[in-house]
Amino acid sequence: MEIYVFRHGETDWNRDMRWQGHTDIPLNKKGRSQAEELVPLLKNLKLTKIIASDLSRALETGAVVAKALGCPLVSHFGFRELGFGEAEGLTFEEIGLKFGTQAQCKIRSTDDADLDFSFPGGESKRQMLRRAHQALADLLDPAQDQRVGLATHGGVIRTFLQMCGLKDRAKVTIPNGSLFLFEYQGDGQPLVYRGRVNEDF
């Protein structure tokens, strides 16, 4: 089955380059516009449903698309952004000042060796990987769902690329409102990455 995965629209914290994690920041005006811009890209794909993270920035993005396409909308906490704990609300520079340059490197790393790094009070990428993989198994049935949409976060999309074993995943940019195509077989099989749909960003 095909999963059209899109990152939520912009928030004020995105604009200010603050790390959001589980902090529930809503879309801003530009973010709502970016959600609307996803509709023409998805409208002719006959999606059976839209799934969204339960954080409002992704849920609102998914709701805009679901309403326009006449699809049911389902939310699941498993597709939340990585929990950054005490680093939430900080810029990348502030993270360096508070936690050091090694922490800066590890949180941005796409290396499997850094999957277990976490900030105090946060979660590791391995933990997010497990919950996202479980959420896929909970909500998707390749025997029934041929195409679905998924409104989620940059960290989750990066995790999906890691699931796929994509060697040059660090080169993939994930701006707000970007749309990616993955294939999912179920039964514990890894995702397959097919590429970015709206490359004109």
Side-chain angles (χ1 to χ4, degrees), residues 76-134:
H76 197 295
F77 74 92
F79 296 118
R80 280 186 173 205
E81 179 59 279
L82 181 70
F84 297 116
E86 293 180 17
E88 293 190 9
L90 303 180
T91 65
F92 188 62
E93 291 73 20
E94 289 168 344
I95 286 173
L97 290 172
K98 185 171 182 177
F99 299 104
T101 55
Q102 187 176 24
Q104 285 179 316
C105 292
K106 285 183 177 293
I107 197 59
R108 280 197 165 168
S109 171
T110 60
D111 208 338
D112 289 345
D114 294 316
L115 279 173
D116 292 312
F117 171 79
S118 65
F119 291 108
E123 65 179 339
S124 70
K125 293 175 187 176
R126 192 181 304 279
Q127 290 172 311
M128 183 175 69
L129 186 81
R130 287 172 179 161
R131 65 171 163 81
H133 196 276
Q134 185 60 53

Short mmCIF file of all heavy atoms in Angstrom, two decimals, residues 76-134:
data_model
loop_
_atom_site.label_atom_id
_atom_site.label_comp_id
_atom_site.label_asym_id
_atom_site.label_seq_id
_atom_site.Cartn_x
_atom_site.Cartn_y
_atom_site.Cartn_z
N HIS A 76 -3.40 9.44 16.16
CA HIS A 76 -2.69 8.42 16.94
C HIS A 76 -1.43 9.07 17.54
O HIS A 76 -0.64 9.70 16.83
CB HIS A 76 -2.29 7.26 16.05
CG HIS A 76 -1.92 6.01 16.80
ND1 HIS A 76 -0.82 5.94 17.64
CD2 HIS A 76 -2.51 4.77 16.85
CE1 HIS A 76 -0.73 4.72 18.15
NE2 HIS A 76 -1.74 4.00 17.70
N PHE A 77 -1.26 8.89 18.86
CA PHE A 77 -0.11 9.49 19.55
C PHE A 77 1.22 8.93 19.04
O PHE A 77 2.26 9.55 19.20
CB PHE A 77 -0.22 9.27 21.06
CG PHE A 77 0.06 7.86 21.49
CD1 PHE A 77 1.34 7.46 21.85
CD2 PHE A 77 -0.96 6.90 21.51
CE1 PHE A 77 1.60 6.15 22.22
CE2 PHE A 77 -0.70 5.60 21.87
CZ PHE A 77 0.58 5.21 22.23
N GLY A 78 1.18 7.73 18.45
CA GLY A 78 2.42 7.11 17.99
C GLY A 78 3.13 7.88 16.91
O GLY A 78 4.33 7.68 16.68
N PHE A 79 2.42 8.79 16.24
CA PHE A 79 3.02 9.58 15.17
C PHE A 79 3.44 10.97 15.65
O PHE A 79 3.69 11.86 14.84
CB PHE A 79 2.06 9.69 13.98
CG PHE A 79 1.79 8.36 13.34
CD1 PHE A 79 0.51 7.84 13.32
CD2 PHE A 79 2.81 7.63 12.77
CE1 PHE A 79 0.25 6.61 12.72
CE2 PHE A 79 2.56 6.39 12.17
CZ PHE A 79 1.28 5.88 12.15
N ARG A 80 3.52 11.16 16.98
CA ARG A 80 4.02 12.43 17.53
C ARG A 80 5.49 12.64 17.18
O ARG A 80 6.23 11.70 16.95
CB ARG A 80 3.92 12.42 19.06
CG ARG A 80 2.57 12.71 19.62
CD ARG A 80 2.65 12.81 21.13
NE ARG A 80 1.38 13.26 21.68
CZ ARG A 80 1.26 13.89 22.84
NH1 ARG A 80 2.34 14.12 23.58
NH2 ARG A 80 0.07 14.28 23.26
N GLU A 81 5.88 13.92 17.24
CA GLU A 81 7.29 14.28 17.12
C GLU A 81 8.07 13.64 18.27
O GLU A 81 7.50 13.25 19.30
CB GLU A 81 7.43 15.80 17.15
CG GLU A 81 8.84 16.36 17.05
CD GLU A 81 9.55 15.94 15.78
OE1 GLU A 81 10.06 14.79 15.76
OE2 GLU A 81 9.61 16.73 14.84
N LEU A 82 9.38 13.54 18.11
CA LEU A 82 10.26 13.08 19.18
C LEU A 82 10.10 13.99 20.39
O LEU A 82 10.05 15.22 20.25
CB LEU A 82 11.71 13.10 18.69
CG LEU A 82 12.79 12.62 19.65
CD1 LEU A 82 12.68 11.13 19.86
CD2 LEU A 82 14.18 12.98 19.11
N GLY A 83 10.02 13.42 21.57
CA GLY A 83 9.97 14.21 22.79
C GLY A 83 11.36 14.70 23.17
O GLY A 83 12.24 13.88 23.45
N PHE A 84 11.57 16.00 23.19
CA PHE A 84 12.89 16.57 23.46
C PHE A 84 13.11 16.91 24.94
O PHE A 84 14.18 17.40 25.30
CB PHE A 84 13.13 17.82 22.61
CG PHE A 84 13.14 17.54 21.13
CD1 PHE A 84 12.18 18.09 20.31
CD2 PHE A 84 14.11 16.73 20.56
CE1 PHE A 84 12.18 17.84 18.94
CE2 PHE A 84 14.12 16.47 19.20
CZ PHE A 84 13.15 17.03 18.39
N GLY A 85 12.11 16.67 25.78
CA GLY A 85 12.29 16.91 27.21
C GLY A 85 12.68 18.35 27.51
O GLY A 85 12.03 19.30 27.06
N GLU A 86 13.77 18.52 28.25
CA GLU A 86 14.20 19.85 28.69
C GLU A 86 14.71 20.73 27.56
O GLU A 86 14.93 21.93 27.75
CB GLU A 86 15.28 19.71 29.76
CG GLU A 86 14.78 19.10 31.07
CD GLU A 86 15.87 18.96 32.12
OE1 GLU A 86 16.93 19.62 31.97
OE2 GLU A 86 15.66 18.21 33.09
N ALA A 87 14.86 20.17 26.37
CA ALA A 87 15.32 20.96 25.22
C ALA A 87 14.17 21.62 24.47
O ALA A 87 14.40 22.46 23.59
CB ALA A 87 16.13 20.08 24.26
N GLU A 88 12.93 21.27 24.81
CA GLU A 88 11.80 21.84 24.09
C GLU A 88 11.67 23.33 24.36
O GLU A 88 11.85 23.80 25.48
CB GLU A 88 10.50 21.10 24.46
CG GLU A 88 10.52 19.67 23.95
CD GLU A 88 9.20 18.94 24.07
OE1 GLU A 88 8.17 19.57 24.40
OE2 GLU A 88 9.20 17.71 23.80
N GLY A 89 11.41 24.07 23.29
CA GLY A 89 11.30 25.52 23.37
C GLY A 89 12.61 26.25 23.12
O GLY A 89 12.63 27.48 23.01
N LEU A 90 13.71 25.49 23.01
CA LEU A 90 15.02 26.10 22.80
C LEU A 90 15.37 26.12 21.31
O LEU A 90 14.90 25.29 20.53
CB LEU A 90 16.11 25.32 23.54
CG LEU A 90 15.95 25.16 25.05
CD1 LEU A 90 17.12 24.37 25.62
CD2 LEU A 90 15.83 26.51 25.75
N THR A 91 16.21 27.07 20.91
CA THR A 91 16.79 27.06 19.57
C THR A 91 17.98 26.11 19.56
O THR A 91 18.45 25.66 20.62
CB THR A 91 17.27 28.45 19.16
OG1 THR A 91 18.35 28.85 20.03
CG2 THR A 91 16.14 29.48 19.26
N PHE A 92 18.50 25.82 18.38
CA PHE A 92 19.64 24.92 18.28
C PHE A 92 20.85 25.51 19.01
O PHE A 92 21.60 24.79 19.68
CB PHE A 92 19.98 24.69 16.80
CG PHE A 92 21.02 23.63 16.57
CD1 PHE A 92 20.82 22.31 16.96
CD2 PHE A 92 22.22 23.95 15.95
CE1 PHE A 92 21.77 21.33 16.74
CE2 PHE A 92 23.19 22.98 15.72
CZ PHE A 92 22.96 21.67 16.11
N GLU A 93 21.03 26.83 18.90
CA GLU A 93 22.14 27.48 19.60
C GLU A 93 21.98 27.39 21.12
O GLU A 93 22.94 27.14 21.85
CB GLU A 93 22.23 28.95 19.17
CG GLU A 93 22.68 29.16 17.73
CD GLU A 93 21.62 28.79 16.69
OE1 GLU A 93 20.41 28.73 17.06
OE2 GLU A 93 21.99 28.54 15.54
N GLU A 94 20.76 27.57 21.60
CA GLU A 94 20.49 27.47 23.04
C GLU A 94 20.70 26.05 23.54
O GLU A 94 21.16 25.84 24.67
CB GLU A 94 19.07 27.96 23.34
CG GLU A 94 18.90 29.46 23.17
CD GLU A 94 17.45 29.90 23.18
OE1 GLU A 94 16.55 29.05 23.00
OE2 GLU A 94 17.21 31.12 23.35
N ILE A 95 20.37 25.07 22.70
CA ILE A 95 20.63 23.68 23.06
C ILE A 95 22.12 23.45 23.26
O ILE A 95 22.55 22.79 24.21
CB ILE A 95 20.07 22.73 21.98
CG1 ILE A 95 18.54 22.68 22.06
CG2 ILE A 95 20.65 21.32 22.12
CD1 ILE A 95 17.87 21.93 20.94
N GLY A 96 22.93 24.03 22.38
CA GLY A 96 24.38 23.90 22.50
C GLY A 96 24.90 24.51 23.78
O GLY A 96 25.77 23.94 24.45
N LEU A 97 24.36 25.67 24.14
CA LEU A 97 24.80 26.34 25.35
C LEU A 97 24.40 25.56 26.61
O LEU A 97 25.16 25.49 27.57
CB LEU A 97 24.19 27.75 25.42
CG LEU A 97 24.74 28.76 24.40
CD1 LEU A 97 23.92 30.05 24.45
CD2 LEU A 97 26.21 29.06 24.68
N LYS A 98 23.21 24.96 26.59
CA LYS A 98 22.72 24.26 27.78
C LYS A 98 23.23 22.84 27.89
O LYS A 98 23.53 22.36 28.98
CB LYS A 98 21.19 24.26 27.77
CG LYS A 98 20.58 23.67 29.04
CD LYS A 98 19.07 23.89 29.10
CE LYS A 98 18.49 23.34 30.40
NZ LYS A 98 17.03 23.60 30.51
N PHE A 99 23.33 22.13 26.74
CA PHE A 99 23.65 20.71 26.77
C PHE A 99 24.98 20.35 26.09
O PHE A 99 25.42 19.20 26.18
CB PHE A 99 22.53 19.89 26.10
CG PHE A 99 21.20 20.04 26.79
CD1 PHE A 99 20.21 20.84 26.23
CD2 PHE A 99 20.95 19.40 27.99
CE1 PHE A 99 18.99 20.98 26.86
CE2 PHE A 99 19.71 19.54 28.62
CZ PHE A 99 18.73 20.33 28.05
N GLY A 100 25.60 21.31 25.42
CA GLY A 100 26.90 21.06 24.80
C GLY A 100 26.81 20.72 23.32
O GLY A 100 25.77 20.32 22.80
N THR A 101 27.95 20.87 22.63
CA THR A 101 27.99 20.63 21.19
C THR A 101 27.80 19.16 20.83
O THR A 101 27.29 18.83 19.76
CB THR A 101 29.32 21.13 20.59
OG1 THR A 101 30.41 20.51 21.30
CG2 THR A 101 29.44 22.64 20.72
N GLN A 102 28.20 18.26 21.74
CA GLN A 102 28.01 16.82 21.46
C GLN A 102 26.52 16.50 21.37
O GLN A 102 26.09 15.72 20.50
CB GLN A 102 28.67 15.98 22.54
CG GLN A 102 28.66 14.48 22.21
CD GLN A 102 29.39 13.65 23.23
OE1 GLN A 102 29.55 14.05 24.39
NE2 GLN A 102 29.86 12.48 22.82
N ALA A 103 25.73 17.10 22.25
CA ALA A 103 24.28 16.89 22.21
C ALA A 103 23.70 17.45 20.92
O ALA A 103 22.80 16.84 20.32
CB ALA A 103 23.61 17.54 23.41
N GLN A 104 24.20 18.60 20.47
CA GLN A 104 23.76 19.16 19.20
C GLN A 104 23.99 18.17 18.05
O GLN A 104 23.12 17.96 17.20
CB GLN A 104 24.50 20.45 18.89
CG GLN A 104 24.07 21.67 19.68
CD GLN A 104 24.89 22.88 19.30
OE1 GLN A 104 26.11 22.80 19.19
NE2 GLN A 104 24.24 24.00 19.11
N CYS A 105 25.17 17.59 18.04
CA CYS A 105 25.53 16.64 16.98
C CYS A 105 24.65 15.39 17.04
O CYS A 105 24.16 14.91 16.02
CB CYS A 105 27.00 16.25 17.08
SG CYS A 105 28.14 17.59 16.71
N LYS A 106 24.44 14.87 18.24
CA LYS A 106 23.69 13.62 18.39
C LYS A 106 22.22 13.76 18.02
O LYS A 106 21.62 12.87 17.43
CB LYS A 106 23.85 13.08 19.81
CG LYS A 106 25.21 12.46 20.09
CD LYS A 106 25.28 11.88 21.49
CE LYS A 106 26.61 11.19 21.74
NZ LYS A 106 26.78 9.99 20.91
N ILE A 107 21.62 14.90 18.39
CA ILE A 107 20.19 15.06 18.10
C ILE A 107 19.96 15.26 16.61
O ILE A 107 18.90 14.90 16.08
CB ILE A 107 19.58 16.21 18.93
CG1 ILE A 107 18.05 16.09 18.95
CG2 ILE A 107 20.01 17.57 18.39
CD1 ILE A 107 17.53 14.80 19.53
N ARG A 108 20.91 15.79 15.89
CA ARG A 108 20.76 15.96 14.45
C ARG A 108 21.31 14.78 13.65
O ARG A 108 21.13 14.70 12.45
CB ARG A 108 21.46 17.24 14.00
CG ARG A 108 20.64 18.50 14.25
CD ARG A 108 21.12 19.66 13.46
NE ARG A 108 20.14 20.73 13.43
CZ ARG A 108 20.40 21.96 13.01
NH1 ARG A 108 21.61 22.26 12.56
NH2 ARG A 108 19.45 22.88 13.00
N SER A 109 21.94 13.87 14.33
CA SER A 109 22.56 12.73 13.66
C SER A 109 21.52 11.79 13.05
O SER A 109 20.46 11.56 13.62
CB SER A 109 23.42 11.95 14.66
OG SER A 109 23.88 10.74 14.11
N THR A 110 21.83 11.27 11.87
CA THR A 110 21.00 10.22 11.26
C THR A 110 21.70 8.87 11.35
O THR A 110 21.31 7.91 10.70
CB THR A 110 20.72 10.55 9.78
OG1 THR A 110 21.96 10.65 9.07
CG2 THR A 110 19.96 11.87 9.66
N ASP A 111 22.73 8.80 12.20
CA ASP A 111 23.52 7.58 12.38
C ASP A 111 22.81 6.64 13.36
O ASP A 111 22.32 7.06 14.41
CB ASP A 111 24.88 7.98 12.97
CG ASP A 111 25.97 7.01 12.60
OD1 ASP A 111 25.65 5.86 12.28
OD2 ASP A 111 27.14 7.41 12.63
N ASP A 112 22.77 5.36 13.01
CA ASP A 112 22.14 4.38 13.90
C ASP A 112 22.81 4.33 15.27
O ASP A 112 22.18 3.97 16.27
CB ASP A 112 22.18 2.99 13.27
CG ASP A 112 21.22 2.87 12.08
OD1 ASP A 112 20.35 3.75 11.93
OD2 ASP A 112 21.36 1.90 11.32
N ALA A 113 24.09 4.72 15.34
CA ALA A 113 24.83 4.69 16.61
C ALA A 113 24.27 5.69 17.62
O ALA A 113 24.52 5.57 18.82
CB ALA A 113 26.31 4.98 16.35
N ASP A 114 23.49 6.69 17.14
CA ASP A 114 22.96 7.72 18.03
C ASP A 114 21.46 7.55 18.32
O ASP A 114 20.81 8.46 18.84
CB ASP A 114 23.21 9.11 17.43
CG ASP A 114 24.69 9.43 17.37
OD1 ASP A 114 25.39 9.16 18.36
OD2 ASP A 114 25.15 9.94 16.32
N LEU A 115 20.92 6.38 18.01
CA LEU A 115 19.49 6.15 18.20
C LEU A 115 19.06 6.21 19.66
O LEU A 115 17.89 6.47 19.96
CB LEU A 115 19.10 4.78 17.62
CG LEU A 115 18.87 4.71 16.11
CD1 LEU A 115 18.66 3.26 15.68
CD2 LEU A 115 17.67 5.56 15.70
N ASP A 116 19.98 5.96 20.58
CA ASP A 116 19.60 5.91 21.99
C ASP A 116 19.86 7.21 22.74
O ASP A 116 19.63 7.28 23.96
CB ASP A 116 20.33 4.75 22.69
CG ASP A 116 19.84 3.40 22.19
OD1 ASP A 116 18.62 3.20 22.12
OD2 ASP A 116 20.70 2.56 21.83
N PHE A 117 20.31 8.24 22.04
CA PHE A 117 20.52 9.53 22.70
C PHE A 117 19.18 10.19 23.02
O PHE A 117 18.24 10.15 22.23
CB PHE A 117 21.33 10.47 21.81
CG PHE A 117 21.40 11.87 22.33
CD1 PHE A 117 22.26 12.20 23.36
CD2 PHE A 117 20.54 12.85 21.83
CE1 PHE A 117 22.30 13.49 23.87
CE2 PHE A 117 20.57 14.14 22.33
CZ PHE A 117 21.45 14.46 23.36
N SER A 118 19.10 10.82 24.18
CA SER A 118 17.91 11.62 24.52
C SER A 118 18.32 12.74 25.46
O SER A 118 19.34 12.65 26.17
CB SER A 118 16.84 10.75 25.18
OG SER A 118 17.29 10.25 26.43
N PHE A 119 17.53 13.81 25.46
CA PHE A 119 17.71 14.89 26.42
C PHE A 119 17.04 14.51 27.74
O PHE A 119 16.15 13.64 27.76
CB PHE A 119 17.09 16.19 25.89
CG PHE A 119 17.80 16.79 24.72
CD1 PHE A 119 17.25 16.74 23.45
CD2 PHE A 119 19.03 17.40 24.88
CE1 PHE A 119 17.90 17.30 22.37
CE2 PHE A 119 19.70 17.97 23.81
CZ PHE A 119 19.13 17.91 22.54
N PRO A 120 17.43 15.14 28.85
CA PRO A 120 16.76 14.85 30.13
C PRO A 120 15.25 15.04 30.01
O PRO A 120 14.79 16.07 29.51
CB PRO A 120 17.38 15.86 31.09
CG PRO A 120 18.73 16.16 30.50
CD PRO A 120 18.54 16.10 29.01
N GLY A 121 14.50 14.03 30.44
CA GLY A 121 13.06 14.12 30.38
C GLY A 121 12.47 13.84 29.00
O GLY A 121 11.25 13.88 28.82
N GLY A 122 13.33 13.52 28.02
CA GLY A 122 12.86 13.27 26.66
C GLY A 122 12.91 11.80 26.31
O GLY A 122 13.09 10.95 27.18
N GLU A 123 12.75 11.51 25.05
CA GLU A 123 12.81 10.13 24.58
C GLU A 123 13.88 9.99 23.50
O GLU A 123 14.31 10.97 22.90
CB GLU A 123 11.45 9.67 24.04
CG GLU A 123 10.98 10.40 22.82
CD GLU A 123 9.63 9.91 22.30
OE1 GLU A 123 9.22 8.78 22.63
OE2 GLU A 123 8.99 10.67 21.55
N SER A 124 14.29 8.76 23.26
CA SER A 124 15.31 8.50 22.24
C SER A 124 14.65 8.25 20.89
O SER A 124 13.45 7.96 20.80
CB SER A 124 16.14 7.27 22.63
OG SER A 124 15.35 6.09 22.52
N LYS A 125 15.44 8.36 19.85
CA LYS A 125 14.93 8.08 18.51
C LYS A 125 14.52 6.61 18.38
O LYS A 125 13.58 6.29 17.65
CB LYS A 125 15.99 8.43 17.47
CG LYS A 125 16.29 9.91 17.38
CD LYS A 125 17.44 10.20 16.43
CE LYS A 125 17.85 11.66 16.49
NZ LYS A 125 19.03 11.94 15.63
N ARG A 126 15.20 5.73 19.10
CA ARG A 126 14.81 4.32 19.06
C ARG A 126 13.40 4.13 19.65
O ARG A 126 12.60 3.36 19.13
CB ARG A 126 15.81 3.45 19.82
CG ARG A 126 15.62 1.95 19.57
CD ARG A 126 16.60 1.12 20.36
NE ARG A 126 17.98 1.45 20.12
CZ ARG A 126 18.68 1.01 19.07
NH1 ARG A 126 18.11 0.23 18.17
NH2 ARG A 126 19.95 1.35 18.93
N GLN A 127 13.11 4.86 20.74
CA GLN A 127 11.77 4.79 21.32
C GLN A 127 10.72 5.31 20.35
O GLN A 127 9.64 4.73 20.22
CB GLN A 127 11.73 5.59 22.64
CG GLN A 127 12.51 4.94 23.77
CD GLN A 127 12.61 5.83 24.99
OE1 GLN A 127 12.96 7.01 24.89
NE2 GLN A 127 12.29 5.28 26.15
N MET A 128 11.04 6.42 19.67
CA MET A 128 10.10 6.95 18.70
C MET A 128 9.92 5.99 17.53
O MET A 128 8.81 5.80 17.02
CB MET A 128 10.56 8.32 18.18
CG MET A 128 9.56 8.95 17.20
SD MET A 128 9.99 10.62 16.67
CE MET A 128 11.43 10.29 15.67
N LEU A 129 11.01 5.37 17.11
CA LEU A 129 10.98 4.39 16.03
C LEU A 129 10.01 3.27 16.37
O LEU A 129 9.17 2.87 15.54
CB LEU A 129 12.38 3.84 15.80
CG LEU A 129 12.60 2.91 14.62
CD1 LEU A 129 12.77 3.70 13.34
CD2 LEU A 129 13.82 2.03 14.83
N ARG A 130 10.07 2.78 17.60
CA ARG A 130 9.21 1.67 18.03
C ARG A 130 7.75 2.08 18.06
O ARG A 130 6.87 1.33 17.60
CB ARG A 130 9.67 1.17 19.40
CG ARG A 130 10.97 0.37 19.37
CD ARG A 130 11.45 0.07 20.76
NE ARG A 130 12.70 -0.71 20.74
CZ ARG A 130 13.54 -0.81 21.76
NH1 ARG A 130 13.26 -0.17 22.90
NH2 ARG A 130 14.65 -1.53 21.67
N ARG A 131 7.46 3.26 18.61
CA ARG A 131 6.05 3.66 18.70
C ARG A 131 5.48 3.98 17.33
O ARG A 131 4.30 3.69 17.06
CB ARG A 131 5.87 4.81 19.69
CG ARG A 131 6.49 6.13 19.34
CD ARG A 131 6.01 7.21 20.33
NE ARG A 131 6.82 8.40 20.35
CZ ARG A 131 6.73 9.38 19.46
NH1 ARG A 131 5.89 9.31 18.46
NH2 ARG A 131 7.50 10.46 19.58
N ALA A 132 6.28 4.57 16.44
CA ALA A 132 5.79 4.86 15.09
C ALA A 132 5.53 3.58 14.31
O ALA A 132 4.53 3.44 13.60
CB ALA A 132 6.79 5.75 14.35
N HIS A 133 6.44 2.61 14.48
CA HIS A 133 6.26 1.32 13.81
C HIS A 133 5.02 0.61 14.33
O HIS A 133 4.24 0.02 13.55
CB HIS A 133 7.50 0.45 14.02
CG HIS A 133 7.58 -0.71 13.09
ND1 HIS A 133 6.94 -1.91 13.34
CD2 HIS A 133 8.20 -0.86 11.89
CE1 HIS A 133 7.18 -2.75 12.35
NE2 HIS A 133 7.93 -2.15 11.46
N GLN A 134 4.77 0.69 15.65
CA GLN A 134 3.58 0.08 16.24
C GLN A 134 2.31 0.77 15.76
O GLN A 134 1.29 0.13 15.51
CB GLN A 134 3.65 0.12 17.77
CG GLN A 134 2.52 -0.61 18.46
CD GLN A 134 2.46 -2.08 18.09
OE1 GLN A 134 3.45 -2.79 18.22
NE2 GLN A 134 1.30 -2.55 17.62
#
